[in-house]
Amino acid sequence: MGRPPDWNWGQLGFLNQAAFEEMVATYYRRVWNIALQMTGDADDADDVAQEAFVRVYRSIGRFRRESQFSTWLYRITMNLCTDLLRRRRRRATISLDQLEAESHNTYWDSVAAGHPAGTHNPSGSPVRELEAAELRVKLKEAILSLPDSYRSVIVLRDIEGLSYREIASVLRCPEGTVMSRLFYAKKALRDKLQPYIKGQ
Amino acid sequence: LRCDNLRHRLLLYAEGELNDASRRQVAAHLTTCERCRSAVESFQDLTRTIRALRDEAAMAPEELTFARTVRRRASAPRRSGFSDLLGRLGSWVEDVAEPLLEQPVQALLPFGLVLWLASASVVSRFGLEGIVAKLTAALLL
C-alpha cells in the first residue's frame, strides 16, 4: 500500500461534502491502523479515527498551511491516542485483569485466528502459518508494552512509512530525538522478540 | 571504527538513511565485524516484520459506514462553551475521583487528614468558624 498524495488544499479549504468524503476515503484506513497499533484495541481505534476526522472537519479553518495536511491529521490522531492511553492508565488500577482478558478475547484472538485480507501465508504450510500468527501476536504485545513515545515512532516509521523529518513534525520534537527513540524502541523490540528475529 | 561508536548508525544503515560517506564507513566495518553485521541483519528483519502490520488497515470498518458515522458526528450541533466546560470539568473530576474511590479506606486516611487540616487552617485564617457551625447545624438538623 503506497502513501496517498497529500490533500489538495483548495478543495479542503472549500470544505464541500464531496471533498471531505474524498479526504476521509483517502486517509481513514491509515488513521485507523495508527490508532489500532497505538491502542491495541479495535473499538478504541474506531473512536479515535472518527474523532480525528470530526476534529479536522470542525477545525479546518484553524489549520496553518505551512505543514502538510497529512502531518496535521496524524498529529491530531497521535494526540487523541495519547489522551486515550493516559485515561486508560489512570483507570488501569481498577480493572487491569479485566482489560487483559478483554483484549485477549477480542483483539488477539481475531488477529491469531483470522488475518485480514492479504495476510494469509501463501506458502500454505500449517506450521508456518502458526508460526507467523504467533510472531504477529508476540510482536503486537511487544509494541504495546513499549512506552508511548517509543511506540509512536515505531508506528509512524514502520507502519505508516513516514520519514524522520515528518515524524519529527508530527510529534513536534527534533529529528535527533526521533532517531534516538527509534533506536531504543527497536533495540527493546529486538530483545523481546529474540527467538523470532534473524541475525542475533 | 569501533563498534561502540557505531551503535546508533547501525540502525540508520539498516534503514538506508546514511549519507554516502557514512554508509561506506559502516559497510567497511561490517566486512570485518560479525557482531555488527548480525545487529544490522536483526534490525532489517525486525523492520520487515513490523511492516507486515500495515495490512491490518484492511480490518478497518467498511468505508461507507465509517464516512456516515463521521458525517453524523461532525454535523451534530456543538455543545455551547458553558456546557462543554461543565463536561470537561465533570470528566476531570471523574478522572481524579475514580482511582481514589477504588483505594481501600486505610489508604484514604492520610488524604482525608490532609484535607481536614487544610480546611481547618482556611477556616481559622478567614474566621469562618461561625459560618461552618451554622452550615453543620443546618445539615445535621
Side-chain angles (χ1 to χ4, degrees), chain B residues 52-69:
Chain B
L53 296 179
R54 287 179 182 183
D55 58 28
E56 293 196 349
M59 290 163 69
E62 190 254 330
E63 184 181 327
L64 197 61
T65 314
F66 185 86
R68 275 185 190 149
T69 314

Side-chain angles (χ1 to χ4, degrees), chain B residues 104-124:
Chain B
V105 176
Q106 306 91 295
L108 290 179
L109 282 177
F111 179 75
L113 187 66
V114 169
L115 200 65
W116 180 72
L117 285 172
S119 321
S121 115
V122 168
V123 165
S124 94

Side-chain angles (χ1 to χ4, degrees), chain B residues 10-64:
Chain B
L10 291 180
L11 175 63
L12 297 173
Y13 178 87
E15 300 205 339
E17 292 285 338
L18 286 180
N19 61 33
D20 282 352
S22 245
R23 187 170 44 77
R24 275 198 295 273
Q25 266 189 327
V26 176
H29 174 78
L30 294 183
T31 58
T32 60
C33 180
E34 169 64 32
R35 200 167 133 237
C36 288
R37 209 164 47 234
S38 175
V40 166
E41 200 185 326
S42 70
F43 278 136
Q44 286 170 335
D45 193 35
L46 179 63
T47 302
R48 272 193 297 273
T49 309
I50 299 171
R51 281 184 185 159
L53 296 179
R54 287 179 182 183
D55 58 28
E56 293 196 349
M59 290 163 69
E62 190 254 330
E63 184 181 327
L64 197 61

Side-chain angles (χ1 to χ4, degrees), chain A residues 17 21 25 28-29 32-33 36-37 46 49-51 53-54 57-58 90-91 94 107 116 119 135-136 139-140 143 157-159 161 164 183-184 186 189-190 197-200, chain B residues 7-8 11-12 15 17 38-39 41-43 45-47 49-63 66 69-71 73-74 76 78 94-95 98-99 102:
Chain A
Q17 197 65 34
E21 282 174 13
Y28 90 98
R29 285 187 191 280
W32 188 87
N33 199 17
L36 176 69
Q37 305 307 333
D46 284 356
Q50 284 171 16
E51 183 60 24
F53 286 106
V54 168
Y57 184 86
R58 287 181 173 163
R90 276 191 203 142
R91 290 167 188 179
I94 303 168
Y107 186 55
T119 63
L135 172 56
R136 185 173 278 254
L139 172 65
K140 293 178 72 63
I143 291 176
R157 174 70 181 171
D158 289 333
I159 296 174
Y164 290 165
F183 174 79
Y184 287 109
K186 291 216 166 172
L189 287 180
R190 206 179 57 175
I197 298 295
K198 282 188 217 159
Q200 297 200 77
Chain B
R7 263 168 31 115
H8 284 76
L11 175 63
L12 297 173
E15 300 205 339
E17 292 285 338
S38 175
E41 200 185 326
S42 70
F43 278 136
D45 193 35
L46 179 63
T47 302
T49 309
I50 299 171
R51 281 184 185 159
L53 296 179
R54 287 179 182 183
D55 58 28
E56 293 196 349
M59 290 163 69
E62 190 254 330
E63 184 181 327
F66 185 86
T69 314
V70 169
R71 204 181 314 141
R73 283 181 61 175
R78 298 186 72 170
E94 188 194 19
D95 284 346
E98 258 190 21
E102 291 302 318

